[in-house]
Amino acid sequence: MTQNNNKHTLDIHLPDKGKSLQEAKKALIMIHGRGAAAEDMLALSNHLRVQDYAILAPQATNYTWYPNSFLVDTVQNEPWLSSAVDIIHQTVQKVIKAGIAQQDIYFFGFSQGACLTLEYMARNAGRYGGAVAIIGGLIGQKLNKDQYKGDFKGTPIFIGTSNPDFHVPIERVYATQNILTDMHAEVTLKEYAGMGHTINQEEIDLANQLIFK
């Protein structure tokens, strides 16, 4: 993936597993964290009940979606943040154009990818199949509810997090849960004391039970 004026370009990795967009009735969009890669998320999909899904994993330029903490003023993360949100939007549109309905689109994001997943969904609320966000929250120094519009219409969202976490304070996770719930998402939050910045087996099990049924 090449860099162009500090913005991301669309580079979607399709694995040699699961279904093609033309064959599948559901799609999973997986968003990697800072310093990671699309291939890491595709490997993670082996542990999810998504064998019949089309699986798409966008790749961030230089392995990061935006350069600074998700807790700074969003201006400090531009133009990368807007570009990253647009990449997710382009990925969603690619799925819809292939004939898969929005309510059959699912998301899985970890860390910076979880923040980006939740931010994209809150800016584009509607009925999705569901989402998993492991250690993440909505983006910005202060959350502006006015930029989040739409109705999730009962979309299930599972958020797993460590408490404490050195990147994502629990207070931001709570604030994110409240906003998503107000927008009629069915949010399940699970905290793990001192887990560290990682994904545990119980979170995978809960993702399969709650989202990838």
Side-chain angles (χ1 to χ4, degrees):
M1 188 174 189
T2 58
Q3 193 167 11
N4 180 17
N5 295 326
N6 294 326
K7 294 184 179 181
H8 304 289
T9 57
L10 185 59
D11 185 9
I12 299 172
H13 290 235
L14 294 174
D16 296 323
K17 59 189 174 186
K19 302 286 186 179
S20 70
L21 282 172
Q22 289 69 37
E23 296 173 320
K25 294 182 179 179
K26 297 180 179 181
L28 170 61
I29 299 172
M30 305 190 76
I31 314 299
H32 67 77
R34 187 191 301 270
E39 287 78 7
D40 300 321
M41 301 305 288
L42 296 178
L44 179 62
S45 73
N46 290 322
H47 303 282
L48 304 173
R49 294 176 185 164
V50 294
Q51 290 74 22
D52 293 330
Y53 292 53
I55 305 173
L56 300 91
Q59 174 65 56
T61 302
N62 297 330
Y63 305 98
T64 186
W65 294 108
Y66 44 86
N68 299 308
S69 165
F70 84 114
L71 295 172
V72 303
D73 192 306
T74 53
V75 172
Q76 296 181 46
N77 275 317
E78 295 295 358
W80 302 275
L81 176 57
S82 291
S83 177
V85 170
D86 185 59
I87 286 291
I88 308 308
H89 181 69
Q90 289 183 54
T91 308
V92 168
Q93 292 305 305
K94 180 182 180 73
V95 172
I96 291 173
K97 288 178 181 177
I100 297 175
Q102 179 176 287
Q103 61 262 30
D104 293 318
I105 297 176
Y106 296 74
F107 299 87
F108 192 116
F110 172 65
S111 190
Q112 191 183 59
C115 297
L116 183 57
T117 294
L118 294 169
E119 186 71 16
Y120 172 79
M121 294 182 72
R123 293 186 188 190
N124 300 274
R127 186 57 167 96
Y128 297 95
V132 178
I134 306 300
I135 309 185
L138 292 172
I139 297 172
Q141 186 175 39
K142 294 182 179 180
L143 297 182
N144 179 9
K145 293 183 179 181
D146 291 338
Q147 73 178 351
Y148 304 129
K149 302 183 185 300
D151 189 325
F152 280 111
K153 301 178 181 179
T155 296
I157 299 176
F158 169 56
I159 301 175
T161 194
S162 178
N163 184 13
D165 182 82
F166 54 85
H167 288 303
V168 182
I170 195 65
E171 292 79 14
R172 175 54 57 92
V173 179
Y174 294 153
T176 297
Q177 179 186 25
N178 290 338
I179 289 174
L180 298 177
T181 299
D182 287 346
M183 298 173 73
H184 305 135
E186 294 292 334
V187 182
T188 300
L189 171 61
K190 181 72 174 179
E191 299 175 42
Y192 298 90
M195 177 180 71
H197 202 75
T198 188
I199 302 174
N200 67 33
Q201 184 60 50
E202 184 175 294
E203 289 171 317
I204 295 296
D205 294 341
L206 285 171
N208 284 325
Q209 293 169 19
L210 298 170
I211 309 299
F212 309 115
K213 300 177 183 179

